[in-house]
Amino acid sequence: MSILEIRDLHATVETPEGTKEILKGVDLTIKAGETHAIMGPNGSGKSTLAYAIAGHPKYEITSGSVTLDGQDVLEMSVDERARAGIFLAMQYPVEVPGVSVSNFLRTAKTAVSGEAPALRTWVKDVRSAMDELKMDPVFAERNVNEGFSGGEKKRHEILQMELLKPSIAILDETDSGLDVDALRVVSEGVNRAKERTDLGIMLITHYTRILNYIKPDFVHVFVNGKVAEQGGPELAERLEAEGYERFLEGAK
Ligand SMILES: Nc1ncnc2c1ncn2[C@@H]1O[C@H](COP(=O)(O)OP(=O)(O)O)[C@@H](O)[C@H]1O
Ligand SMILES: [Mg+2]
C-alpha cells in the first residue's frame, strides 16, 4: 500500500525578475487506490506541484517534505523517483526526435524495473495496451511526440502509465485538448490502471469535464500555490457552478 505525503511544501523558480515563490505551503496525502482531483485556475501552481514531486531541476524546494511510504522523495534523483513508483504525465509532453515510441517504452520499462522485460510478453503487453487505447500499431514506430496531435500525446502518456505500472500517477491536465471520444478512451485507460494496480492518482485539471469519466474520491481547490479548500466530489460540482472567484477573492 503506497502513500504519498506532501507537507508544507514551498518551491521557487528563477525568473528574469528574480526568485519567485510558486508553491506556498502545499499539504496533500494520496493513498493507493484513491483519486484526488486538484482543481485550480491557470497560474495557480498546479504544474509546478507536479514537477516539484517528479524532480524537475528548475524548481527549488525551499521547505517542506514529500515522502513515499516514509522515504524522502526530495532526496531522490528523477530516475530514483520513477523507480520508487512515481509517474508524471506532463501537461506538455516533450518531443524526443530519433527515438521511436517502441524503443522509448522499452527503455523506460527497463530503467524503472531494473531489468529488460521479457521480449515475448512485452510485445504482447504493448500491443494490447495500444489496442485498448485505440492506438494504431504503426504509432509504435513513430518518434516520441514528434508531430503527435494533442490527443495522441495524451494517449501516449497513458500508454506509458499502463506499461510502467507506477504506484502513484500524477496526471497534469491529461484532459486538455481532447475531444469527447479521446477523453473517454484516455479516462478508461486511467480507470483500468486503477483497477488493475490499485494506483493512487493525482488528477490535475482545470475543468470538471474529465470528472464525469474518472470519479474522484477527493477534490482539492488549488489557489495561489496551495490547497485552499478540500472536499468530496460535490466540491467539483460547486466549482462548475460558481467558478474559482470565491477562492481568488480569499487568496488576495
Ligand atoms: N519556469 C518558470 N519560469 C518562470 N515562471 C514560472 C515557471 N514555471 C512556472 N512559472 C510561473 O508560476 C506560476 C504557476 O505556474 P504553473 O505551475 O504552470 O500553474 P498552473 O499549472 O496552475 O497553470 C505562473 O505564474 C507561471 O508563470
Ligand atoms: Mg499547468
Side-chain angles (χ1 to χ4, degrees):
M1 248 261 323
S2 294
I3 176 164
L4 181 76
E5 293 179 284
I6 302 164
R7 291 290 169 268
D8 196 27
L9 191 68
H10 291 251
T12 59
V13 67
E14 293 307 321
T15 74
E17 294 80 44
T19 307
K20 182 176 170 191
E21 183 172 59
I22 301 173
L23 300 184
K24 301 174 180 173
V26 181
D27 284 293
L28 196 65
T29 302
I30 298 184
K31 295 182 187 152
E34 292 179 351
T35 301
H36 294 251
I38 312 291
M39 306 195 63
N42 278 326
S44 55
K46 303 183 299 298
S47 291
T48 300
L49 175 63
Y51 280 135
I53 298 167
H56 195 297
K58 248 197 168 145
Y59 302 94
E60 194 193 340
I61 311 296
T62 48
S63 64
S65 65
V66 179
T67 60
L68 180 65
D69 302 329
Q71 304 268 59
D72 187 351
V73 170
L74 300 178
E75 282 293 302
M76 299 178 194
S77 63
V78 172
D79 53 318
E80 282 169 345
R81 297 180 200 210
R83 279 200 295 276
I86 296 174
F87 175 83
L88 168 63
M90 287 186 283
Q91 182 172 4
Y92 303 109
V94 289
E95 289 183 10
V96 191
V99 177
S100 70
V101 165
S102 155
N103 272 333
F104 174 80
L105 291 171
R106 193 168 155 80
T107 304
K109 182 70 179 175
T110 304
V112 163
S113 57
E115 56 180 359
L119 207 51
R120 270 185 53 204
T121 48
W122 173 249
V123 170
K124 226 171 63 201
D125 288 350
V126 173
R127 255 191 224 136
S128 74
M130 287 183 72
D131 193 45
E132 285 173 328
L133 287 166
K134 312 241 182 315
M135 295 168 84
D136 191 320
V138 299
F139 198 83
E141 300 320 315
R142 289 178 60 184
N143 290 338
V144 173
N145 289 319
E146 222 176 40
F148 285 16
S149 70
E152 286 169 340
K153 284 182 181 165
K154 300 297 172 169
R155 281 175 213 233
H156 178 236
E157 295 290 300
I158 299 305
L159 176 64
Q160 287 171 50
M161 185 185 78
E162 292 210 51
L163 292 166
L164 298 180
K165 301 193 179 10
S167 50
I168 299 286
I170 303 166
L171 308 178
D172 191 1
E173 308 237 358
T174 296
D175 49 343
S176 69
L178 297 184
D179 61 33
V180 178
D181 294 325
L183 182 65
R184 184 177 303 116
V185 167
V186 160
S187 301
E188 282 168 2
V190 174
N191 290 331
R192 263 195 312 275
K194 192 175 165 179
E195 267 165 39
R196 287 177 187 164
T197 61
D198 204 28
L199 184 63
I201 301 171
M202 183 191 291
L203 183 69
I204 297 173
T205 181
H206 190 79
Y207 301 106
T208 52
R209 191 176 68 144
I210 195 172
L211 305 182
N212 296 326
Y213 300 94
I214 301 172
K215 294 289 172 203
D217 302 296
F218 303 93
V219 173
H220 310 265
V221 184
F222 201 83
V223 177
N224 196 22
K226 60 181 172 204
V227 175
E229 188 166 324
Q230 36 200 337
E234 75 287 345
L235 185 53
E237 282 159 33
R238 196 163 164 206
L239 288 171
E240 176 83 350
E242 297 174 8
Y244 295 113
E245 209 136 300
R246 172 166 71 92
F247 299 100
L248 291 168
E249 291 301 314
K252 276 177 193 151

